[in-house]
Amino acid sequence: MDKQQLSKDILKLVGGEENIDQVTHCMTRLRFNLNDNGKADKATLKNTPGVMGVMENGGQFQVIIGNDVPVVYNALVGNMSKSPDAKPAAAATGGKKKNPLSAVFDFISGVFTPILPAITGAGMIKGIVALLLTFGWIDATSSTYIILSAIGDGAFYFLPIILGISTARKLGSNMYIGAAIGASVMHPTITALLAPGENVSFIGLPVVAATYASSVIPILIAVWLASYVEKAIDKVTHASLKLIVVPTVTLLIIVPVMMIAVGPLGVIIGNGLTDGINWLFNNAGLFAGLLVGGAFSLLIITGMHYALVPIMIGSIATLGYDYLIPLMMVANFAQAGSALGVSLKSKNKQIKSLSASTGVTALMGITEPAMYGVNMRFKKPFVAALIGAAISGAFISFFQTKAYVIGGLAGLSGIPMIIGPTFVYALIGIVIAVVASAILTYILGFEDVPEAVPAAATTASAEPVTPVAADVNSSASAVSAIEEEKGQDQEVFSPMTGEVKPLSEVPDPAFSEEIMGKGFAIQPTEGRVVSPINGTVFSLSKSGHAIGLVSDNGAEMLIHIGIDTVKLKGQFFSPKVQAGAKVAVGDVLMEFDREEIEKAGYTTITPVIVTNMHQYESIVSAGRTAIKEQELLYTAKA
């Protein structure tokens, strides 16, 4: 296949260079951010030799290439007159022809996702402290209480600084200027100066009193403006003076503007949103809970729930409680209930096992495996979950159930968030969500999957999840350097310890629809990957989530650790080999922190596939459901 010609064909069929806002690649796909997806000729692309498939997910236009994607990417970039990575994604920079609503959600998601561990950890500590105080296990005047309270309050009090860093990072501007803007308005002298009743001015302009501690919107707006000021100053400043002039002028412009105009405006907007939500629940509680509770899972699927995070934080910061967090919790528990209902109803042992395990995971607040891998797959259980969440939402909203801190996932680990005067109603609501969804799933039923023949490799379709772009270190030339020995079976040994799953349970159509190849997946119980074959590592993603191998017999393989884990950008992954390394069965390839990855909200189910299936007739399972490293997983029959 002529990769140069393929890259030219792809460039033309996605609408030409002028239609490309950004393009990167991962282990298997070219990932385009197009100005207009409608200009891409999707049908012709699918039928182009060398293209395995085309997907649209999360606003991203993805062309699935396979192991040759680094070569095609380099050829594609070589055919473009400008660098595809010369600027941040359009959503971060206000790029042209982007859906404004999608851009806002992308911006909020990109800002809040990285800081969630900080505010979640701090919130959990606040919940624990409240629990200790409630049961009289700690004295409110003790130094222990004071220190624990400071640990819990710190991330929220200095939220403008944390958000300043995260917002600047999302916008592609200097993160430490963002931090400096937040730190300026949090300075003790400024806090004292802006106390209510004080008349304050800056060069004759009035500065309105505003409280920036725990605030969200003022710093978001300020750093957004700073990104434009910073870029404008950078363009007109000589290279030798940039280090001094750009940050100095940016801070001198943005901080006063924030205190004079942005801060008060942001506080008004934030308070308005908070007051509006509270008015809704105080005056139409049952119906508000019915609507929001029932729709919360849909909001999560679209990413729109991130737009509610500033409101949740603002409510707790200003009022000391929030109505939305309990609704998010019962929506998650409803997904768990539906998955458990599938487990009770299904006659297929693998489906029963999958739905039970993902249901338990959802109870802990990680709903993606249950939502995508079970409930949406069978459709009616997902509808049952929406109804169960609506019923529970109506109940808890009728009794004005509240959360009092932010912390932990919206599952059992988040119970400390709802400890307070309405705690009993929250617990009842959780029970209603789980039980109602399970019963509705059982009553509504679903199209069950017949038992598969154990010795045969079976794959089906599963629901998609949103992938994210990543760079890859590749030495794809290693594949062509190894002679393919046709006519030989290839035994594939397990690269990890865990539970064997059919590819149908992988929530990504590139795997579940066998676009990339055939094989099986493993739900790992340990955080280590070893080589399943004797051969060579021909590619290793920079993010560590994917490893490409070619065996001495010519079988090309892909081990993809988790789904959507490219978003972690290498966090929790520790590669032990480099591209080009020779390996034998059992050699350690990668270590990863399975628990932390799952806490971050990602499934760790790992497809282990043969990608050059044109050389093989079939995949034959070794018949194991539980497996250990180096035990036979399957055989690729030539």
Side-chain angles (χ1 to χ4, degrees), residues 115-130 132 138 143-159 162 214 313 316-317 404-408:
I115 72 167
L116 284 179
I119 60 177
T120 295
M124 281 296 292
I125 292 170
K126 286 169 68 71
I128 292 169
V129 171
L132 294 174
I138 194 171
S143 57
T144 300
Y145 171 82
I146 294 170
I147 292 172
L148 286 175
S149 295
I151 297 172
D153 288 334
F156 294 97
Y157 184 84
F158 293 103
L159 192 59
I162 298 174
S214 303
I313 295 174
I316 289 178
Y404 301 91
V405 295
I406 292 180

Side-chain angles (χ1 to χ4, degrees), residues 482-492 533-534 551-556 610 612-619 634-638:
I482 298 176
E483 287 191 11
E484 299 176 346
E485 300 181 20
K486 295 185 179 180
Q488 293 190 21
D489 293 349
Q490 176 64 58
E491 290 186 328
V492 177
I533 47 91
N534 297 324
S551 77
D552 292 338
N553 292 339
E556 297 172 17
V610 175
N612 59 335
M613 278 304 298
H614 61 279
Q615 294 185 35
Y616 300 93
E617 290 185 357
S618 63
I619 296 291
Y634 61 82
T635 301
K637 291 289 187 179

Side-chain angles (χ1 to χ4, degrees), residues 380-400:
K380 287 183 180 179
F382 184 70
V383 174
L386 299 183
I387 297 171
I391 295 170
S392 177
F395 174 83
I396 64 173
S397 295
F398 180 78
F399 290 101
Q400 296 188 335

Side-chain angles (χ1 to χ4, degrees), residues 177-197:
I177 293 178
I181 294 170
S184 297
V185 297
M186 290 302 301
H187 195 282
T189 56
I190 296 296
T191 302
L193 187 66
L194 296 180

Side-chain angles (χ1 to χ4, degrees), residues 91 220 228 285 309 388 497 512 534 560:
L220 294 180
Y228 287 97
V309 174
T497 298
S512 64
N534 297 324
H560 198 284

